[in-house]
Amino acid sequence: MAELHDDALMVKIRGLCFAHGARTIFDGVDIDIPRGKITAIMGPSGTGKTTLLKIIGGQLAPLAGSVLVEGEDIHHVSRDNLYRLRKRMSLLFQTGALFTDLTVFENVAFPLREHTRLPESMLRDLVLMKLQVVGLRGARDLMPTELSGGMARRVALARAIALDPAMIMYDEPFTGQDPITVGVIMQLIRMLNDALGLTSIIVSHDVHELSQISDYMYMMAAGKIVGHGTPQELGHSGSEWIRQFMGGLPDGPVPFHYPATDYAQDLLAGVSAR
Amino acid sequence: MIDWFQKLGSSSLALFERLGRGGLFLMRVFSAIPSLVSRPRLVIIQLYSVGVLSMMLIVISGLNVGMVLGLQGYNTLVDFGAEESLGQVVALSLVRELGPVVAALLFAGRAGSALTAEIGLMKATEQLSGMEMMAVDPMKRVIAPRFIAAVISMPLLATMFSAMGILGGYFVGVGLLGVDSGAFWSQMQGKVDFYEDIMNGLVKSIVFGFVAAWIAVFEGYDAAPTTEGVSRATTRTVVHTAFAVLGLDFILTALMFGSV
């Protein structure tokens, strides 16, 4: 991506380093998230994609590097400012993270009740409008346990847009969904992004779906960005790693086997111990 | 041998680290409490699930314990011809000791474990995390109301336990065993001191309620976000509350009633 002016960036990550205990997750990662676009961050399981979203949301602090959200370093702002920034962003959890003791309606109403003092009738209209967008106005009285996985994610999406955020982060939105639901969620992400002028970040490993709806893609492996570009550019990339990932090949630069001692020696060790 | 020392060292360190985390957590709960003044509804909802729903257990247990006390007390006292003192024996045992202690143990089993499991599961299913991302502080919205509700409920439940126990003792002593009703009540009235006995018992139940509430919400918040983590945290709540209550009971009793 050509270097964008800071005003055109919703999120700007520079030199990000992070570790879970002794395991390095990020080692000098630079990412730009442009405003108004859908940016995908891809990588195999365990590359810390969810961690990245939590770092952008200020829930986890990096060991080094900076994360600027709307020009403010989210890890060095006061608690009040952090909460002010969080009202401008939403994170759609993989599980939906709906409140299981509240109905669908109350789940969507939750952020409105917490942050606004709207009269009940206006609140009702707003909630129904958000539910209408995701097609679940009729499910308003159901409890989260009565919803399918796809419906739960759509309710979570309605809740995520309740406060009209500037940015939505999607954590693995397609995982474990049937093809129809995947289609519905893809359409919703694109539609919400364009209609509401949002900025969207999707972390996922569903190459096919992401290629269709993303404007720009980043590929992560072993704590680093190994490639980025538009879906077309990545599709024709010369990098072996990107080819393996995009093509879904079982072996390549990312090995099939978890690191282990030599196979034959391992088996023989069992024989000599007998 | 060195291994043994290493294990002792690491488990002591872990214990103190946990105590420190618990202390810091309590400070955060305290700082979240003032926000509840403008939202009393959050506390009232929790008062219902923590306090009101525990009432049945407390009432029935209190009644039973009082009935047993009446029976045992009578059998002992009658040998000395002192069965008129039954009212005093039952009331003192209950308001000084059994009320606060047994109510706290029952409270830990009924409400404490439920609080831990609820908060732990909210953490495991990312509901607390989701709340934070919606710029809602879980300390203010989830933890503080539950903590305050438990602190308020415990002394009330302990008082109820004692009252029901006295009633149970009365039914058995006066109703079944023929102790004189007037003697039962007048002995109680004469020998149970409001400050010395009732207030001290109340102070105990307040302290136990505070400790039980702290342990329950902390264990839930600190639980590993897995099925096993929540189950272990729930068990820890009951076990640690029992130890804390029984340990503190001795200390408080020594301070209040004894010259140890």
Side-chain angles (χ1 to χ4, degrees):
Chain A
M1 193 183 332
E3 190 69 23
L4 285 170
H5 191 264
D6 278 2
D7 287 349
L9 292 180
M10 185 75 192
V11 180
K12 181 176 174 179
I13 299 174
R14 287 293 175 270
L16 178 68
C17 295
F18 186 82
H20 269 313
R23 198 164 72 94
T24 304
I25 307 284
F26 302 123
D27 182 15
V29 166
D30 295 343
I31 294 176
D32 287 334
I33 308 289
R35 282 181 198 277
K37 300 269 198 266
I38 298 179
T39 307
I41 295 164
M42 291 195 295
S45 308
T47 38
K49 301 187 294 294
T50 305
T51 307
L52 180 67
L53 294 187
K54 289 194 168 172
I55 290 175
I56 297 175
Q59 285 195 313
L60 293 174
L63 291 178
S66 65
V67 178
L68 302 183
V69 178
E70 300 210 296
E72 291 185 72
D73 188 336
I74 191 146
H75 299 103
H76 293 99
V77 292
S78 66
R79 200 168 172 78
D80 287 347
N81 276 331
L82 173 65
Y83 274 23
R84 181 178 51 76
L85 280 172
R86 280 189 185 158
K87 282 183 206 168
R88 306 258 303 141
M89 59 170 101
S90 285
L91 171 55
L92 197 76
F93 287 86
Q94 195 174 346
T95 51
L98 295 175
F99 303 125
T100 41
D101 55 336
L102 301 178
T103 61
V104 165
F105 182 94
E106 285 302 325
N107 260 288
V108 180
F110 183 86
L112 294 166
R113 287 196 199 283
E114 290 293 322
H115 293 303
T116 65
R117 291 278 168 271
L118 294 175
E120 194 61 29
S121 61
M122 190 185 283
L123 188 130
R124 180 178 178 274
D125 290 348
L126 269 175
V127 172
L128 292 186
M129 280 157 69
K130 306 293 176 191
L131 282 173
Q132 174 73 10
V133 173
V134 298
L136 291 175
R137 191 166 44 83
R140 76 186 91 160
D141 295 325
L142 296 182
M143 296 304 285
T145 45
E146 297 173 279
L147 303 174
S148 69
M151 284 163 85
R153 268 178 224 191
R154 280 151 70 190
V155 174
L157 187 52
R159 186 176 67 178
I161 56 171
L163 286 176
D164 295 323
M167 172 170 84
I168 302 190
M169 299 183 274
Y170 299 89
D171 185 6
E172 305 274 3
F174 313 116
T175 306
Q177 301 300 323
D178 64 74
I180 301 175
T181 310
V182 169
V184 168
I185 294 175
M186 277 171 63
Q187 190 198 5
L188 277 173
I189 293 177
R190 185 80 250 180
M191 182 190 76
L192 287 175
N193 191 80
D194 297 348
L196 303 178
L198 293 173
T199 301
S200 308
I201 306 177
I202 310 176
V203 303
S204 174
H205 42 61
D206 298 290
V207 177
H208 178 69
E209 287 79 12
L210 288 180
S211 307
Q212 287 180 50
I213 57 167
S214 311
D215 298 310
Y216 204 79
M217 298 169 108
Y218 281 90
M219 289 238 173
M220 283 179 52
K224 291 185 183 302
I225 298 292
V226 291
H228 56 96
T230 60
Q232 292 75 23
E233 285 167 1
L234 286 183
H236 301 110
S237 168
S239 153
E240 242 185 277
W241 193 96
I242 294 175
R243 272 216 306 277
Q244 184 194 357
F245 193 81
M246 298 291 271
L249 308 174
D251 214 350
V254 177
F256 169 70
H257 290 288
Y258 192 84
T261 52
D262 183 66
Y263 187 34
Q265 270 181 5
D266 216 354
L267 293 178
L268 287 171
V271 174
S272 56
R274 220 172 280 158
Chain B
M1 190 65 181
I2 288 178
D3 263 12
W4 187 81
F5 275 114
Q6 268 179 346
K7 266 187 195 157
L8 184 71
S10 82
S11 54
S12 311
L13 278 178
L15 174 75
F16 282 111
E17 195 211 334
R18 217 171 143 66
L19 272 176
R21 272 212 309 278
L24 289 174
F25 173 84
L26 190 63
M27 307 258 221
R28 286 177 63 197
V29 175
F30 280 151
S31 66
I33 288 173
S35 71
L36 295 174
V37 175
S38 58
R39 304 185 69 184
R41 223 179 83 86
L42 290 178
V43 180
I44 293 170
I45 294 171
Q46 292 309 319
L47 274 174
Y48 177 76
S49 68
V50 172
V52 177
L53 294 182
S54 306
M55 251 169 63
M56 193 53 92
L57 173 71
I58 293 290
V59 164
I60 293 174
S61 307
L63 204 62
N64 273 295
V65 168
M67 282 159 61
V68 171
L69 268 179
L71 209 53
Q72 294 278 22
Y74 180 85
N75 283 336
T76 312
L77 292 169
V78 80
D79 290 344
F80 306 101
E83 64 269 25
E84 268 74 33
S85 301
L86 186 64
Q88 176 197 349
V89 169
V90 169
L92 283 183
S93 327
L94 280 163
V95 294
R96 279 185 176 191
E97 282 300 329
L98 291 173
V101 173
V102 179
L105 296 179
L106 291 172
F107 183 76
R110 163 65 183 79
S113 57
L115 281 177
T116 304
E118 187 185 18
I119 297 171
L121 279 172
M122 285 181 88
K123 186 179 176 188
T125 53
E126 294 186 308
Q127 294 182 45
L128 295 184
S129 209
M131 222 175 250
E132 268 185 36
M133 283 308 296
M134 279 184 259
V136 175
D137 187 352
M139 278 288 164
K140 293 180 182 166
R141 185 67 176 64
V142 176
I143 309 292
R146 284 166 173 75
F147 176 79
I148 285 293
V151 169
I152 296 174
S153 300
M154 199 13 236
L156 296 176
L157 291 170
T159 310
M160 218 174 274
F161 185 94
S162 297
M164 291 312 294
I166 291 170
L167 217 55
Y170 176 82
F171 287 149
V172 170
V174 177
L176 290 180
L177 302 170
V179 175
D180 181 61
S181 171
F184 184 90
W185 292 119
S186 67
Q187 283 277 342
M188 194 187 299
Q189 195 181 3
K191 294 289 168 52
V192 179
D193 185 71
F194 181 73
Y195 291 103
E196 184 80 348
D197 301 316
I198 296 180
M199 285 313 272
N200 277 342
L202 191 68
V203 168
K204 272 188 182 180
S205 64
I206 291 171
V207 173
F208 296 162
F210 181 86
V211 171
W214 178 21
I215 292 176
V217 292
F218 174 65
E219 288 294 352
Y221 195 77
D222 202 51
T226 58
T227 321
E228 199 200 358
V230 175
S231 114
R232 288 168 80 121
T234 312
T235 311
R236 271 205 305 270
T237 292
V238 179
V239 174
H240 289 186
T241 308
F243 282 148
V245 164
L246 295 172
L248 278 170
D249 184 45
F250 178 74
I251 295 170
L252 288 173
T253 309
L255 287 174
M256 289 167 174
F257 303 104
S259 40
V260 179

